Amino acid sequence: MGYWKSKVLPKIKKVFDKNSTKKSGAAEASKLFDDSKEEYNKAFEEKKTELQTKVTEVYEASSAEVKSLVKEPNEAGLKKNSTSVQKFLEELVKIDFPGSKPVSEACSKFGPALVPGPVSFVFEKVSTFIVTEEKVEDAPPTTTTEETSGVKEREIVVEEEGKEKKKEEAEEKTESVDPPSSSAPETVEEKSAEEVAKEEEKPAEAAAATTSAEKTAEEPPKP
């Protein structure tokens, strides 16, 4: 019992005191950062264009875990990937990213999980560059109303031309079939005319033969 009180208990108490002090320091650092947010926002807007390329390079060089935390920061992820987060913040400090220096210092003292507010603020600002780039890359090609109407008009013209072509082909086939039927009546007419002429010639021949016979009967027999 004496060993517990003299050796173990003081160590446990020291750990709790240390954690309490650490949390207290982290809370104070977070408060100071919150008080300066307006200043960091202003600096961020002023340097936004200049930071675009630099931030993208730092982000692309980071780990997949950090990229995920930049888009959706959470305390569990910050605690689990504290080393990677700290390294990422140090890279942002090198390019003079607004607010990154005090956040990096707080993380090195207390750990990212104890200062989630300031870390999330910086990550949110970084994500504005990343999300914009991803949207531009992934944006599907849009078809304008004019293009759509132009395609429809072309389809209609092609369809009408096809109908006209079919109609012309049908008319040509009809014309090629008609001539033989029209020549048939002419042949019939020609034959009937010849028959009529022959029929008219027959009575005339018969009448001539009758007249010749009558003359022969009237003439007296020669002595």
Side-chain angles (χ1 to χ4, degrees):
M1 191 71 178
Y3 178 80
W4 173 264
K5 285 184 179 180
S6 61
K7 298 292 182 181
V8 178
L9 193 60
K11 287 182 179 179
I12 295 173
K13 188 178 179 182
K14 188 177 181 181
V15 170
F16 276 105
D17 288 343
K18 187 178 180 181
N19 286 339
S20 178
T21 304
K22 197 173 182 180
K23 287 181 180 179
S24 169
E28 187 177 348
S30 295
K31 186 178 182 303
L32 289 173
F33 185 86
D34 288 342
D35 293 340
S36 303
K37 271 186 180 180
E38 188 176 343
E39 181 183 340
Y40 298 140
N41 277 324
K42 186 178 179 181
F44 175 77
E45 292 300 327
E46 288 174 354
K47 299 177 69 176
K48 200 169 184 178
T49 306
E50 178 187 339
L51 290 168
Q52 177 72 58
T53 306
K54 295 178 181 178
V55 172
T56 304
E57 289 176 357
V58 172
Y59 174 81
E60 292 299 332
S62 64
S63 65
E65 291 79 10
V66 170
K67 288 177 180 178
S68 178
L69 287 169
V70 167
K71 295 173 184 177
E72 295 180 9
N74 58 81
E75 289 186 28
L78 292 174
K79 187 175 182 178
K80 185 178 180 181
N81 302 284
S82 58
T83 304
S84 299
V85 170
Q86 180 63 41
K87 185 179 178 181
F88 181 71
L89 289 168
E90 287 172 0
E91 293 299 319
L92 292 177
V93 172
K94 290 178 183 179
I95 63 172
D96 198 22
F97 192 90
S100 60
K101 188 174 182 179
V103 175
S104 178
E105 291 174 353
C107 287
S108 63
K109 287 181 182 179
F110 314 114
L114 291 179
V115 284
V119 174
S120 295
F121 175 86
V122 172
F123 281 7
E124 183 183 344
K125 295 300 181 184
V126 171
S127 69
T128 58
F129 296 109
I130 310 309
V131 172
T132 301
E133 283 205 348
E134 288 180 352
K135 283 182 179 179
V136 171
E137 290 175 1
D138 299 340
T142 55
T143 305
T144 60
T145 307
E146 292 180 0
E147 289 176 351
T148 306
S149 61
V151 170
K152 287 183 178 179
E153 286 176 1
R154 285 195 294 273
E155 289 177 354
I156 292 168
V157 170
V158 171
E159 188 177 347
E160 289 179 353
E161 288 178 353
K163 287 180 180 179
E164 289 178 0
K165 189 174 181 181
K166 287 181 180 178
K167 188 177 179 181
E168 289 175 359
E169 289 176 355
E171 289 177 354
E172 288 176 0
K173 287 180 180 179
T174 305
E175 288 175 359
S176 62
V177 173
D178 288 346
S181 61
S182 61
S183 61
E186 292 178 2
T187 307
V188 173
E189 287 177 2
E190 289 174 1
K191 288 181 180 180
S192 61
E194 290 176 0
E195 290 176 357
V196 170
K198 287 178 180 180
E199 288 175 358
E200 288 178 354
E201 288 176 358
K202 285 179 181 180
E205 289 176 357
T210 303
T211 306
S212 177
E214 288 177 354
K215 285 181 179 180
T216 304
E218 289 177 358
E219 287 178 0
K222 292 181 179 180

